[in-house]
Amino acid sequence: MSTKQTKHPGRRLLMLLLIIVIGFGGLYAGAYTGRTSMTPGLALDLEGGTQIILTPTTSDGSEITDEDVNQAIEIIRQRVDASGVAEAQISRQGGQNIVVSLPGSPSQDTLELVRTSAVLYFRPVIRIIQGSASSLADNYNQRIAQATASPTADDAASEAPAAVEPSGAPAEGEAEQTEQTDAPADPTEAPADPAAEATDAPSAEPTPVTAEEVATQVSDANGDGTISEDPLPATSEDNSSDSWISEKMIYDAYMMDCTASDNLTGETQDPAKAVISCDKDGTGQAYILGPADIAGTDIANAASGLETTSQGTTTNKWVVSLEFNAEGTEEFSEVSERLIAYRDKAAAASSGQPNGQSPDSQKAQFAIVLDGLTIMSSGFNPDVTSAITDGRVQITGNFTQAQANTLANQLSFGSLPLSFTVQSEQQVSATLGTEQLRNGLIAGLIGFALIIVYLAWQYRGLSVVAVASLIVAAAGTYLAIALLSWSMGYRLSLAGVAGLIISIGITMDSFIIYFERVRDEVRNGRTLVAAVDEGWKHARQTIIVSDTVNLVAAVVLYFLAVGGVQGFAFTLGVTTVVDLAVIILFTHPMMVWILRFAFFGEGHRLSGLDPEHLGARSLAAYGKGREAVIDSAVGSLARRKAEARRRTAAEEEGVSADGAQTDAPDEGIAVDVDSTTGKDGETK
């Protein structure tokens, strides 16, 4: 009975070819838009790259142990090469120094992951500083200059949003507001009646303000004209409390320029104290943060993906999902309960504020701080009404896929036991170079040519199926390697090239197993259609077991090795999967399909399926052996008829053929001559 695949082999052939065409189309589109290349990336040994030497230090001056360095090396390796196939090389030098070699031209984000110590903490937000005092002063002075150039005092009064008094003392009513809200005045807000001030002194030219004057005014919470280092009054004793900060800290936050590169390099900060942190993206925004609530080491897992709603539907928004360990789960439960309380308190008080927002709204947020820089700040969605006790958190935002992946990577491998000083950063040349790659590819082509010669000699016409399968396997492997290079940073090393060459032999093993099973069925007397179908049933199980063994070996080697050996194992695993797909979706359907042609279907002597050459037990099933079978049947019938006539004549004489008396005549001989014809086409 024919299988569905036997009846419609073209469907699987078209499906596989369509997948390959779509894959190459996507790769071309990525190369056309500049997001990838049509060729896979090359590893350090073939292309060269960037080498960074790091010297570890501790924040408290304690001794650095070998365990600390080994842990740091492992975390750096996970950061820059989480999949293990980007061919980054991380090693020790001189006992404590760490050498990181990255292939090609690594992105700035990757270099930052290596350069920074990246100690990660979750800290509560106490204040958000929207701009430095310098930028606020420049903005104010520019607007005053534009207003002064106006022809009338009325125009000047309407255009000049005077925000800061030159003397540094807050305007009347501002101190009152500061005492009520316990928050610094916004230097961009205008006084209550700017027109009246302009009218009182129409001829007075406004005096430009300095950054120090702006910082002093907005930091003077109690309005006494001095900047105190005493803790601010507070109504709570948690990590979000104002008691952790002072007027001096607010002043320093406004004086810090968070757009300057010097303030964006990161530094080690004490987790038990309040700190000032700049936005890592260089937007100029600064944060005053309380003591750390949770350390990055309490994160058990972080992953990026598309958002899934409570109804189970998937949106097109990228999110980062966090999972804390037992200690982190308990700590985050307390943090979430506190921040949700601040959020609800801010919502209740917002209607009474001039700008419609309560100061507690800032305290309802937490910041994720990586090596002293805030990589993001976030509050809880309104639908979160109670503490999160299961340790599972989803961070949402206007993330792109790359941003979500980077954040998940930072959260997963963010906590190093040490901080680092970059001793040197330089470009390094390829250790082997493109010549070795060319020689490896030439060796692969020579091996491929020898295999074709062997197939033509051993399997004759069947070599067409084998060669076509090898070409499809090569195209599928190249496509897989190129797409993996795009999606996960895979880079092809010389060890990977060796894995590709070995894969030719693995693919050939599958063909030989299949072809020999089919030929065995032909030898047993089956028709070619039945032989292909039955041979596949037996060969399929053997091929799957063989490929599974190869795949298990590759997986074990991948997880137990690092560097080039890991890349070799990865390549071996990919090619094994491609081999399995090709043999199922291409080789067997093509074998079924070619039997429709007389050259293969009738077992031509050059087809590789010639039953006579293979020593088939019966040739009756094949057109080329039918004539011999008919001749034999006709000769046998003639001999049996002659014997019957002789015996009949002997019976008439009453003597048997051997001279003995016959007791009874023969009942006759039944001869099956149904549908047996002679050479002249007449029934005999």
Side-chain angles (χ1 to χ4, degrees):
M1 181 177 180
S2 298
T3 63
K4 181 179 180 181
Q5 182 181 341
T6 304
K7 292 180 180 178
H8 306 288
R11 293 182 180 178
R12 293 202 176 190
L13 293 174
L14 288 176
M15 181 174 68
L16 180 61
L17 295 178
L18 184 61
I19 291 174
I20 293 176
V21 170
I22 292 175
F24 274 104
L27 185 63
Y28 177 78
Y32 183 78
T33 56
R35 290 178 292 176
T36 186
S37 171
M38 289 297 294
T39 58
L42 299 179
L44 197 67
D45 57 348
L46 300 176
E47 185 180 5
T50 302
Q51 183 184 78
I52 302 174
I53 300 179
L54 306 173
T55 299
T57 58
T58 57
S59 57
D60 56 2
S62 59
E63 182 181 357
I64 299 175
T65 64
D66 289 342
E67 183 179 354
D68 291 335
V69 177
N70 291 335
Q71 184 182 357
I73 290 175
E74 185 60 28
I75 292 176
I76 291 175
R77 178 175 286 113
Q78 288 174 323
R79 284 195 206 155
V80 301
D81 194 7
S83 61
V85 293
E87 297 293 340
Q89 297 179 6
I90 301 99
S91 59
R92 298 179 65 167
Q93 183 187 70
Q96 292 187 347
N97 285 353
I98 298 176
V99 180
V100 182
S101 300
L102 305 174
S105 301
S107 65
Q108 193 64 29
D109 288 341
T110 302
L111 292 175
E112 286 299 320
L113 286 175
V114 176
R115 295 191 190 109
T116 60
S117 60
V119 179
L120 187 142
Y121 293 106
F122 288 75
R123 290 179 177 267
V125 176
I126 300 179
R127 292 284 193 279
I128 299 178
I129 310 301
Q130 299 292 346
S132 67
S134 176
S135 63
L136 294 175
D138 291 342
N139 183 50
Y140 169 77
N141 292 331
Q142 182 179 5
R143 292 157 68 185
I144 287 297
Q146 292 174 351
T148 304
S150 300
T152 63
D154 292 339
D155 292 337
S158 63
E159 293 184 16
V164 182
E165 294 295 325
S167 63
E172 186 178 353
E174 287 185 352
E176 224 174 347
Q177 178 181 330
T178 302
E179 291 175 2
Q180 281 182 337
T181 63
D182 195 25
D186 186 349
T188 63
E189 293 182 358
D193 191 2
E197 292 184 9
T199 304
D200 291 341
S203 60
E205 185 175 344
T207 304
V209 297
T210 63
E212 290 78 5
E213 290 174 333
V214 173
T216 299
Q217 177 175 328
V218 296
S219 305
D220 188 10
N222 57 15
D224 60 1
T226 60
I227 302 300
S228 172
E229 296 186 8
D230 296 332
L232 294 180
T235 58
S236 63
E237 297 298 331
D238 51 52
N239 285 358
S240 300
S241 171
D242 281 346
S243 61
W244 290 100
I245 66 174
S246 63
E247 292 178 346
K248 180 65 166 61
M249 179 173 282
I250 298 174
Y251 176 88
D252 291 341
Y254 272 102
M255 290 300 296
M256 178 179 289
D257 183 6
C258 283
T259 61
S261 57
D262 293 344
N263 294 325
L264 298 174
T265 56
E267 60 182 356
T268 303
Q269 296 176 327
D270 190 345
K273 297 180 180 179
V275 297
I276 301 172
S277 174
C278 288
D279 187 274
K280 187 176 185 297
D281 293 334
T283 60
Q285 189 163 268
Y287 299 85
I288 301 178
L289 308 174
D293 286 316
I294 307 173
T297 51
D298 292 330
I299 298 176
N301 183 46
S304 61
L306 294 175
E307 181 184 27
T308 302
T309 65
S310 57
Q311 290 77 25
T313 59
T314 301
T315 68
N316 60 354
K317 294 175 60 177
W318 284 91
V319 299
V320 176
S321 299
L322 294 182
E323 183 177 350
F324 292 97
N325 59 19
E327 183 178 353
T329 298
E330 182 178 351
E331 292 171 344
F332 193 80
S333 176
E334 298 175 0
V335 171
S336 61
E337 183 177 10
R338 184 180 77 235
L339 298 186
I340 290 172
Y342 273 111
R343 182 200 65 190
D344 296 341
K345 181 180 177 182
S350 61
S351 59
Q353 296 298 318
N355 59 358
Q357 187 179 34
S358 167
D360 287 329
S361 62
Q362 296 182 355
K363 296 181 181 179
Q365 300 184 41
F366 66 88
I368 301 175
V369 183
L370 188 65
D371 193 35
L373 299 176
T374 298
I375 58 177
M376 73 164 297
S377 64
S378 176
F380 289 93
N381 293 330
D383 56 345
V384 180
T385 58
S386 60
I388 299 175
T389 58
D390 62 355
R392 299 178 183 272
V393 185
Q394 191 176 79
I395 301 176
T396 59
N398 295 323
F399 296 131
T400 63
Q401 181 180 1
Q403 290 171 337
N405 290 338
T406 299
L407 178 57
N409 194 25
Q410 290 169 330
L411 294 174
S412 295
F413 314 117
S415 292
L416 277 171
L418 306 169
S419 58
F420 294 96
T421 301
V422 178
Q423 292 293 336
S424 66
E425 181 176 331
Q426 59 184 353
Q427 298 295 314
V428 294
S429 59
T431 56
L432 296 176
T434 55
E435 182 178 355
Q436 298 296 327
L437 175 62
R438 183 172 60 253
N439 293 339
L441 294 177
I442 291 174
L445 291 175
I446 292 174
F448 188 81
L450 292 176
I451 286 175
I452 293 176
V453 173
Y454 171 78
L455 289 172
W457 171 72
Q458 179 68 23
Y459 294 105
R460 302 181 183 181
L462 282 182
S463 62
V464 175
V465 179
V467 172
S469 299
L470 283 174
I471 293 174
V472 172
T477 301
Y478 182 88
L479 177 62
I481 294 299
L483 291 177
L484 289 171
S485 179
W486 178 10
S487 61
M488 61 182 295
Y490 172 82
R491 286 184 174 270
L492 187 63
S493 64
L494 195 60
V497 174
L500 295 177
I501 295 174
I502 291 176
S503 69
I504 300 176
I506 294 175
T507 305
M508 279 305 306
D509 285 343
S510 301
F511 298 158
I512 291 173
I513 291 172
Y514 181 30
F515 292 162
E516 290 301 327
R517 289 299 306 184
V518 171
R519 295 170 75 161
D520 285 343
E521 297 299 330
V522 172
R523 293 186 184 99
N524 290 335
R526 294 183 183 273
T527 64
L528 284 177
V529 173
V532 168
D533 196 48
E534 191 68 22
W536 171 245
K537 291 178 182 178
H538 295 291
R540 178 177 55 194
Q541 183 177 0
T542 305
I543 293 170
I544 291 176
V545 171
S546 175
D547 282 345
T548 301
V549 171
N550 288 332
L551 192 59
V552 170
V555 170
V556 172
L557 192 61
Y558 174 82
F559 283 105
L560 295 182
V562 294
V565 178
Q566 199 171 31
F568 167 80
F570 184 83
T571 305
L572 183 63
V574 170
T575 53
T576 301
V577 173
V578 171
D579 168 58
L580 198 58
V582 169
I583 199 73
I584 294 174
L585 298 178
F586 185 83
T587 307
H588 176 53
M590 190 172 183
M591 278 287 291
V592 176
W593 181 67
I594 63 173
L595 293 182
R596 299 178 178 182
F597 299 94
F599 180 80
F600 291 99
E602 295 181 1
H604 190 278
R605 63 187 183 86
L606 296 179
S607 67
L609 295 172
D610 178 14
E612 184 177 4
H613 174 74
L614 295 176
R617 296 179 182 177
S618 172
L619 302 178
Y622 304 93
K624 62 182 289 183
R626 188 171 180 79
E627 184 176 322
V629 173
I630 293 172
D631 288 344
S632 176
V634 169
S636 176
L637 178 61
R639 288 193 298 273
R640 292 169 69 183
K641 283 186 175 183
E643 178 66 18
R645 286 194 297 270
R646 187 177 66 81
R647 294 185 62 173
T648 301
E651 288 173 357
E652 290 176 353
E653 296 175 0
V655 182
S656 63
D658 55 1
Q661 184 69 32
T662 304
D663 296 331
D666 198 331
E667 297 294 334
I669 299 174
V671 179
D672 184 7
V673 295
D674 184 25
S675 67
T676 303
T677 60
K679 291 184 179 181
D680 57 359
E682 297 178 357
T683 301
K684 301 294 184 179

